[in-house]
Amino acid sequence: MTAVDAGMLTTADGRPLKDALARAEGRAKRRAFLLVAPLLIFILVTFVWPILQVLEQSVYNPKFSDNMPGMVSWFASHPVGTEPDEAAYATLVGDLKAAAEAKTVAVVGERVNYALPGTRSLFTAVGRKAKTLEPPFKESLIAVDPKWGDPDLWGVMRQVAKPYTGDFFLAAVDLERDKNGSIVRVNENERVYVNLFLRTFAMSAFITAICLVLAYPVAHLLAVLPLRQSNLLMILVLLPFWTSLLVRTTSWMVLLQEQGVINNILVALGIISDDGRLQMINNRMGTTIAMTHILLPFMILPLYSVMRPIPPSYVRAARSLGATSWTAFRRVYFPQTVPGIGAGTLLVFILSVGYYITPALVGGSSGTLISNLIAFHVNKSNNWSMAAALATILLVAILILYWLYDKLVGIDKLKLG
Amino acid sequence: MSLPVYASPLERVWYYTFRAICALVFLFLIAPILVVIPLSFNAEAFFTFTQKMLHFDPSGYSLRWYDLLLTFPDVPTDVPRDAAWWATVWREAAWVNAAKNSVIVGFFATIIATTLGTLAALGLSRPEMPFRKVIMAILISPMIVPVIIITLGLFFFYSAIEVNKWGVPYLGVILAHATLGIPFVIITVTATLSGFDHSLTRAAANLGASPTRAFLKVVMPLITPGMISGALFAFVTSFDEVVVVLFVGRNDEQTIPRQMWNGIREQISPAILSVATILVIISIGLLASVELLRRRGERLRGMSPQ
């Protein structure tokens, strides 16, 4: 007790009150955190860690460096522009023989092929003949295929020998390195990615705009009707929300296809002729219609939750003060709904930028989005690093929007139904 | 919002136009879902209404596509449908197996998501929770990040740890689906806890209840509706998920959405529509349960609608 200064408040057992309080608060904090900890660990393992792997994969590709160690050290010890001599070719053949033994020549060829298309067969061909190659290696390798003497190929091999590379990001924005290592735009007919990003954002913005136009009147109606009626009508909004995405996409395929319901109705009504049937699916229109339908509830619900609490007396007051109904809407009602517009617009835009399933099924080739290209690089072209680079760019865009959503709306305001 | 007596003619016109616009939007929302139901009874392999169907001719309708769900790919159709036949269906039919897989995956994913999610929501709604905003943002993000990016990450992660060789069937898919379902549980449970009066638990403690008892008797009844609707959301998320299954699931891990996906991509047949109809009916049931739970929750917290 003597250690405690006179005049300091203490608890019953003599500890300074401040310490006791801090300890109790610390305990409460730890207890709250312990409740969250299991989930946090789970999410870190099954979500955050895999996402970090995407980021790593986008700049790290050891397909060449792991399988061609001799070439890696040759490139390291010889500066850019060194003419490959017989020793270099001997190292190359040694590496190729080892890779052929380990059956990884195709992997190496794949990596070189990303940077210089058309070289995959070069490697697989030499892989089959690796054992028969005799010195002098330069002549015998060039005898297999003269391309082996091509300085372009050597330049590319030097680039891909580095496991860490920003090349995939360059490729993702339609840039590449030329022979001298400076960054240039790729050929006109190979520029696909920037256009696809632009198309993804433009289509998402368009879909968001249509959703807003369609959702605003409906949300307003739901907000001003008596609760009993609006709850009934709300079912019409919530049922699509609860229905399987594949079901809704299938329905649109049924409705929109050439021999489908909508075309048949239009033909029966005589609006279009039988051979003038509209092409509404497997193109941009199909994606737009189906995605608008799927995302519309995500616009209606936030608008509704903002419009519901607006007292109707405000507009009535404006009217009785002499405003026309348009002015009353524009100056009094609309400004109060802006938070809902912000929330719904951001949410719909975020969701539509990353859409995969619907564009894949009804988008054809002109209605696909960036997600479909990511899937293509995983499934078909097997270029994981390219997929990862595209995914990283998309992720950064989404996270910026998410941050914006949190600033403007707050994630704890997110509500379901 | 009835039309006031002083409304001008122009306002009257607008009033009815407005209602008509809303009706059209509602039609846009609901018609595509309802249109598959009659089409799934089509007797022909068409995706549109045949003349017979339009004239309500009974021979234009049939249950053949529902029958196909039981017999596809090679359950015999020309034998009597006794117990042995049904046993074959249960074992062999592709759609029945897909349904079984979907339920298994959905069940375990829901259990994981609901347990962990509810615990975390309890922690997050405590006022003392440190780093609340950041942690909340991380836990909600699986809902925001495009599923293709999550799938890509899992694809790398699972091939690095070779989860498919661990001998636990569906493990990779279940963990992924639990991750996707967690934000829904967090959102619904924290919503039931918003405005929760923490003096209630203190009062319970004051009256001699142990923390466990206070939790079971005071907190549990309040969060149960939120927990169940969160669980339903998580289950639906898993039941409807196709991208993860396509990319990281083993070939024999066929779920209903994956089977549908294959059906749509390869040869779309009206059998897809009969599956769709069944799924629509399930979602109507789920919607009804969530709606009832929400009202019950509001009543419990004394927030019943006026």
Side-chain angles (χ1 to χ4, degrees), chain A residues 216-232:
Chain A
Y216 200 90
V218 168
H220 175 69
L221 182 74
L222 288 170
V224 294
L225 281 178
L227 212 59
R228 186 175 290 273
Q229 290 174 37
S230 81
N231 272 347
L232 271 180

Side-chain angles (χ1 to χ4, degrees), chain B residues 130-149:
Chain B
F131 312 113
R132 195 172 165 279
K133 280 203 78 146
V134 179
I135 291 179
M136 187 88 170
I138 294 174
L139 297 183
I140 299 291
S141 52
M143 197 168 111
I144 297 293
V145 173
V147 70
I148 190 80
I149 297 181

Side-chain angles (χ1 to χ4, degrees), chain A residues 29 39 46-47 49-50 53-54 227 240 242 244-246 251 254 264 293 319 325 357 360 371 378 384 402 414, chain B residues 1 11 18 28-29 32-33 39 47-48 128 137 141 143 148 152-153 155 157 179 182 187 240 242 257 265 283 305:
Chain A
K29 266 189 186 171
L39 180 61
T46 62
F47 177 73
W49 179 246
Q53 292 210 322
V54 173
L227 212 59
W242 276 92
S244 158
L245 194 74
L246 281 170
S251 319
V254 168
N264 279 0
H293 177 248
R319 294 299 308 277
S325 47
I357 297 171
S371 289
V378 179
W384 295 1
Y402 184 39
L414 215 60
Chain B
M1 195 188 76
E11 281 171 340
F18 177 74
F28 173 70
L29 274 170
I33 293 170
L39 282 176
F47 286 99
T48 189
E128 308 91 7
S141 52
M143 197 168 111
I148 190 80
L152 187 63
F155 182 77
F157 180 50
T179 309
I182 277 164
I187 289 172
D240 191 23
V242 62
R265 293 228 115 175
S283 51

Side-chain angles (χ1 to χ4, degrees), chain B residues 21 45 85 101-102 105 126 140 225 239:
Chain B
I21 294 171
W85 184 82
N101 290 345
S102 277
V105 171
R126 290 195 177 193
I140 299 291
F239 205 72

Side-chain angles (χ1 to χ4, degrees), chain A residues 59 61-65 71-72 74-76 78 80 111-112 114-116 151-168 170-171 175-184:
Chain A
V59 290
N61 193 314
K63 280 182 178 174
F64 190 93
S65 54
M71 290 310 293
V72 172
W74 190 85
F75 283 126
H78 294 75
V80 182
R111 176 67 189 94
V112 179
Y114 298 155
L116 192 68
D152 281 4
L153 178 68
W154 282 83
V156 164
M157 284 202 291
R158 180 185 286 280
Q159 277 172 33
V160 300
K162 284 175 272 182
Y164 284 94
T165 168
D167 287 359
F168 293 102
L170 289 181
L175 298 173
E176 63 180 358
R177 282 180 209 278
D178 63 7
K179 267 172 289 204
N180 312 320
S182 52
I183 294 167
V184 292

